[in-house]
Each structure stands twice: as C-alpha cells, then as structure tokens.
Amino acid sequence: MIQYKYSLDKSSRKSLCPKCNKRTFVKYIETETNSYLSDEFGRCDRETECQYWATPEKENNIVFEKKHIPAPKPSFHNLELLDKMYTNEKQQNNFSLFLETIFTREEVFEAEQKYFITSSNHFKGGATIFWQIDNLERLHAGKILQYDKVTGKRIKTAEGKGLINWVHSVLKLENFNLKQSLFGLHLIAETNQKTIAIVEAEKTAVIMSIFKPQYIWLATGSKSGFKYDLLKPIKDFNIIGFPDKSEFEDWNTKSIELNKVGFKIKVNDWLEKTDYPKGSDFADVLINETKNSK
C-alpha cells in the first residue's frame, strides 16, 4: 500500500473553513508526524455549496481529484407578485389584529408598510406573509405563518408544530430553489443608520421596530439562522444580537467566530439573566410590561 506524505484527517475534528467560515473543514496532516499543516490546506465538507479544497504540494505523482459541482442558482419571485398580494388580499391577518391590541392602528400600518407584510387565506384565513426582500430588492421568499389574534402566539398543530408554509410551495412553482435572506434586509439600503439589531423571529423584529425605532430590526427566521451566509450583507454594520432566552451561548460563540473575519457583533445577555421562561424574546418582555402598565 502506498504511504502518502499528506492525507486528510480521519478523525472527527472539524475546523472553520477559510471560505465559508463554517466548522466543516477537514485539514490535511503529515502522515509521518501526524501533525496538521497550515490552516489553508484541507477540504470543506460542503462540496456543493462551498467547494473549497486546497491540497498541499504533491509528491510521488499523487493526483487529488477535485469535484466541481456548481451551486444551483437561487430563485426569486417577481416583485409584481407582491403588488398583486396587496391588491387581492383584503382580509386583515391575525398578527396585525394582535398588534392593534398593543399599538395604535397608525403604528401598525406603518410597520406593515415598512416590512411589506401581507395577508393570506392559507390556514383557513388570517395568516401572515413575511416577505424576504434583500438589499438589492430581490424577493427571495414569502413565509406564511399563522398566529392567534388574541395572544399573538403561533398556532400549532395537534403534534405541536407551528403552522408554516411558503408562497412558492402554495403556488406550486416547479424547480424553485429557495435561498433565504434576513427578514427586513431591504431596510439597510434605505438608511444611514449603522447599528442593526438581530432577533430570531420575524414577528419580534416587527414589534421591536415599533418599541425601539432607533435600530434597524432584522430577523434570522430560525435559531440556526445566525450564521455567516445570512449575515454577510450586513458585515460592515455594527450588529447587536438579541437571542431568545436560552440561545445566548450559541449566538455568542458564533459571534466570536464571525468577529474574527471582520464582523462587529455584540450579543446582549440581559434576557438570559431574567426569570422569563425558556424561549422568551425581547418582544415578550416589552409586551408584558406594556400590558401590566395599563
């Protein structure tokens, strides 16, 4: 059996990829000493999305085959679809009705216009569409969620899963390649404000934009959305992360990694130190305080 001078590490250890900044990078080792080579030599496990693979100098005519699989191009909705939604959907959604129990109709209307929120007859009516529009005015997706108009909480199935769907799925668009963006990303093209606040839920971003308008409020859309791919468009901004209760450690760890590659992120830990239940967010806190003060 040929003993190669260099080989990819066969252990389970993964490092940050120099290209995509995800912990999916397998480094090369020198087989004789079992020591790692410098950080640029290795292969990213994300062969389809990242494709980074840097090999050390080859000896004994060793040939390393590189697979180049081009990433599928993202799909975008036509902006005319959004105009059509404004025209055709007359029913007010449950989320907006809930907001009007806390804020004035004028404040709610302004927030709806700011984030291009529309309604959907999906889930028996009253559902909300949160549109993902980036800073280049590309319409990535329409996320359909259903809320209770009294409590403002997500309505769930008997199995405990939140009611969620996507506009491209409802419209049965074939070969639609969903590539998400931050919710509210379009707002960075319209302001000189350099501080961005990041939360998890779209609902939270909208509510916080009314409570604390001094920040640009964006949402990752999920717990795992606090990552390089989604945050890259706001790399030059000052960013404050406001994770849900119990998510601080994860977001803070990721922020440390991202700051090493040029981000300017601070993660707020105030909520983590409170007695609020796991999963609470800053909107829950301010809504609770507002209702108690009435």
Side-chain angles (χ1 to χ4, degrees), residues 34-50:
N34 205 37
S35 58
Y36 289 102
L37 302 187
S38 56
D39 291 343
E40 72 269 25
F41 294 122
R43 183 181 67 187
C44 182
D45 281 346
R46 302 170 72 235
E47 291 187 7
T48 300
E49 297 170 314
C50 178

Side-chain angles (χ1 to χ4, degrees), residues 205-217:
V206 175
I207 293 173
M208 293 304 297
S209 75
I210 304 176
F211 275 127
K212 302 289 183 180
Q214 64 267 37
Y215 298 126
I216 303 171
W217 290 90

Side-chain angles (χ1 to χ4, degrees), residues 105-123:
R105 176 56 195 149
E106 290 73 21
E107 289 174 320
V108 175
F109 179 77
E110 183 179 347
E112 289 175 326
Q113 296 296 303
K114 182 177 183 179
Y115 287 96
F116 296 100
I117 294 172
T118 60
S119 303
S120 171
N121 287 323
H122 207 56
F123 302 128

